[in-house]
Structure formats: structure tokens, C-alpha cells
Amino acid sequence: MKVIIQTNKIRCDVGNCRNLAKYSVAPEDVSAGQYINLCEECMKQLYGEIGLLIAPKRKRSKKTTAGESVNDKI
């Protein structure tokens, strides 16, 4: 997969978005007609959504009586 900075004036491919695409996302060895074109706002929103799905969730640490978390002592 590669991310390309778009230099041509192309509309964003996301739903009803009317912005111009700033980025194109594509697998290797595909033609430009198969790129997914995204504006900066949609790219940031997609990045955030992917992060929520892929990044591991942090476990809440238990507090000790001294106010330090159990993980702080490791």
C-alpha cells in the first residue's frame, strides 16, 4: 500500500464530500483510476477511525493507597 500526495485537481471519493483530494491511497501496481482519493479532513478522520480499531486498548491501572498506580512501580 502506498500514499501519494495528489497534485491533480480531483474530488475526494468519500460520500458527499466536495473537497479536493490532497492524498491518494493505492496498492502497488494499480492504475491511477483505481486510487482512493481523499481530502485532508477525510484522511485525518479515517486515520483516527483506523487507530481505534487497530491500536490496543489501554488497561486502567489500579490505584494504591499512596496514590501511585500499580504499573508505576514496575
Side-chain angles (χ1 to χ4, degrees), residues 4 14 20 23 31 38 42 45 52 63:
I4 303 164
V14 177
L20 291 177
Y23 304 99
S31 66
L38 300 165
C42 291
Q45 190 172 11
L52 290 174
K63 296 288 182 179

Side-chain angles (χ1 to χ4, degrees), residues 33-72:
Q34 296 174 320
Y35 290 177
I36 300 169
N37 303 303
L38 300 165
C39 68
E40 188 167 5
E41 292 81 20
C42 291
M43 183 73 146
K44 286 179 182 178
Q45 190 172 11
L46 181 62
Y47 176 78
E49 293 296 321
I50 290 170
L52 290 174
L53 290 174
I54 294 176
K57 296 189 180 211
R58 277 184 81 146
K59 293 181 181 178
R60 297 184 101 179
S61 59
K62 295 180 182 178
K63 296 288 182 179
T64 62
T65 56
E68 299 174 341
S69 69
V70 173
N71 294 336
D72 291 341

Side-chain angles (χ1 to χ4, degrees), residues 5-36:
I5 296 176
Q6 189 56 256
T7 57
N8 299 319
K9 289 188 176 186
I10 299 173
R11 291 224 183 241
C12 180
D13 289 335
V14 177
N16 293 328
C17 183
R18 295 185 172 263
N19 296 331
L20 291 177
K22 186 172 180 179
Y23 304 99
S24 293
V25 179
E28 298 293 330
D29 301 326
V30 297
S31 66
Q34 296 174 320
Y35 290 177
I36 300 169

